[in-house]
């Protein structure tokens, strides 16, 4: 997002509007539908839709069609693009303010390890990919599980392959688990990656922080494993980006949890 002359960087102009700022901060926490954003930011739908369009035009926000209700869409904040825009905005003010970077994972082990549950329908692709990537990047500093409302008999072959080839992670022996098997566990974060499972997700004890990542099912991208593998690669890297931004939140939780 380039500077617009005397008007200043485009990101500064976009983020300065109070409605757009509320949309940015709300979407930084989770993906949402328009009607949910209307409630969360407390503005009429036509105004929310107008500002969402501006954020989409800038590339900061994207929309994906809901796999639960094809008439609806989930809006997602591109945190990598926001990080770059913030870095460019800082550099426009002073050269030393332009060094933007993804926040690092927690460096030391605290007394309490955060616990995270990832959910999708089959627990064969998106949620086990998220589980493996967070466990890998957190390096033992978080307890991570995944489950599904209707688990498949086994992990999708491309989920196993993409984790091995792109990240060096071996999950060949992992099996999908049912959501019911983890209902009594205590979690700090419960994150759904499937629009359908979000609609049937039960309440968990101890009021975990809930978030939704609207990630399309990569297995639905074709009729063969060979045809769907590019979708699995895109999905894994999308989830990995989201996890890199989740890590500092978990680190903060680790420091403040009693």
């Amino acid at each position: 997002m380039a500077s617009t002359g005397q008007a200043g960087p485009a990101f500064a102009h976009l983020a300065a509007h109070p409605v757009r700022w509320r949309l940015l901060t709300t979407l930084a926490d989770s993906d949402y539908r328009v009607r949910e954003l209307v409630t969360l930011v407390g503005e009429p739908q036509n105004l929310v839709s107008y500002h969402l369009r501006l954020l989409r035009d800038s590339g900061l926000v994207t929309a994906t069609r809901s796999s639960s209700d094809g008439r609806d869409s989930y809006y997602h904040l591109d945190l990598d693009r926001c990080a770059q825009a913030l870095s460019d905005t800082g550099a426009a003010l002073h050269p030393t303010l332009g060094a933007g970077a993804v926040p690092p994972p927690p460096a030391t082990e605290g007394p309490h390890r955060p616990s995270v549950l990832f959910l999708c329908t089959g627990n064969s692709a998106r949620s086990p990919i998220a589980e493996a990537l967070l466990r890998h990047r957190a390096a033992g500093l978080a307890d991570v599980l995944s489950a599904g409302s209707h688990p498949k008999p086994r992990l999708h072959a491309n989920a196993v392959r993409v984790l091995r080839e792109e990240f060096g992670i071996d999950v060949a022996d992992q099996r999908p688990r049912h959501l019911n098997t983890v209902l009594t566990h205590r979690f700090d974060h419960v994150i759904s990656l499937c629009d359908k499972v979000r609609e049937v997700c039960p309440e968990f004890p101890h009021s975990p922080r809930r978030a939704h990542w609207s990630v399309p099912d990569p297995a639905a991208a074709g009729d063969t494993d060979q045809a769907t593998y590019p979708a699995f690669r895109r999905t894994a890297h999308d989830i990995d980006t989201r996890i890199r931004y989740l890590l500092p939140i978990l680190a903060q939780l680790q420091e403040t949890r009693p």
Side-chain angles (χ1 to χ4, degrees):
M1 298 177 62
S3 171
T4 57
Q6 292 183 347
F11 180 81
H13 172 71
L14 279 167
H17 193 283
V19 174
R20 289 195 291 269
W21 180 251
R22 293 204 299 276
L23 287 169
L24 289 171
T25 56
T26 300
L27 289 169
D29 187 55
S30 176
D31 297 354
Y32 288 108
R33 294 166 290 196
V34 169
R35 63 177 179 271
E36 294 170 326
L37 291 168
V38 166
T39 299
L40 290 167
V41 305
E43 298 290 349
Q45 181 167 332
N46 62 338
L47 188 63
V48 169
S49 296
Y50 167 74
H51 288 293
L52 279 174
R53 180 177 61 80
L54 295 180
L55 293 172
R56 289 182 68 185
D57 290 346
S58 73
L60 295 174
V61 169
T62 59
T64 58
R65 188 69 63 185
S66 170
S67 61
S68 178
D69 181 351
R71 298 167 298 179
D72 218 341
S73 295
Y74 277 95
Y75 288 84
H76 167 63
L77 181 64
D78 188 331
L79 289 169
D80 266 347
R81 194 170 183 109
C82 284
Q84 185 60 56
L86 285 165
S87 177
D88 293 345
T89 300
L93 181 63
H94 191 279
T96 63
L97 301 178
V102 175
T108 59
E109 185 170 359
H112 302 288
R113 295 198 304 182
S115 56
V116 181
L117 174 66
F118 292 106
L119 297 174
C120 68
T121 300
N123 192 220
S124 64
R126 290 162 287 182
S127 58
I129 288 173
E131 176 188 359
L133 289 172
L134 178 55
R135 183 175 289 118
H136 174 69
R137 292 203 175 275
L141 299 180
D143 295 321
V144 193
L145 287 175
S146 68
S149 58
H150 296 81
K152 301 283 188 178
R154 62 189 63 85
L155 297 190
H156 195 289
N158 278 339
V160 176
R161 177 185 170 191
V162 76
L163 287 169
R164 182 181 67 249
E165 294 185 357
E166 299 289 319
F167 303 95
I169 302 171
D170 183 8
V171 294
D173 294 332
Q174 184 170 319
R175 294 292 180 268
R177 64 175 61 87
H178 199 286
L179 172 57
N180 289 346
T181 65
V182 297
L183 284 178
T184 60
H185 291 218
R186 174 170 181 161
F187 296 104
D188 296 298
H189 285 252
V190 174
I191 301 173
S192 52
L193 293 92
C194 166
D195 300 338
K196 293 179 180 178
V197 84
R198 187 193 187 211
E199 302 301 324
V200 299
C201 186
E203 295 297 322
F204 284 82
H206 311 294
S207 302
R209 181 173 180 176
R210 294 280 296 271
H212 180 58
W213 298 350
S214 182
V215 179
D217 183 4
D223 296 328
T224 66
D225 287 357
Q226 182 178 5
T228 61
Y229 187 66
F232 272 83
R233 290 186 73 253
R234 292 191 297 271
T235 295
H237 285 284
D238 175 22
I239 292 171
D240 189 51
T241 297
R242 294 173 185 256
I243 281 172
R244 287 187 287 117
Y245 285 98
L246 176 65
L247 286 169
I249 296 174
L250 297 179
Q252 184 180 41
L253 177 64
Q254 186 181 54
E255 294 171 358
T256 58
R257 182 175 172 182

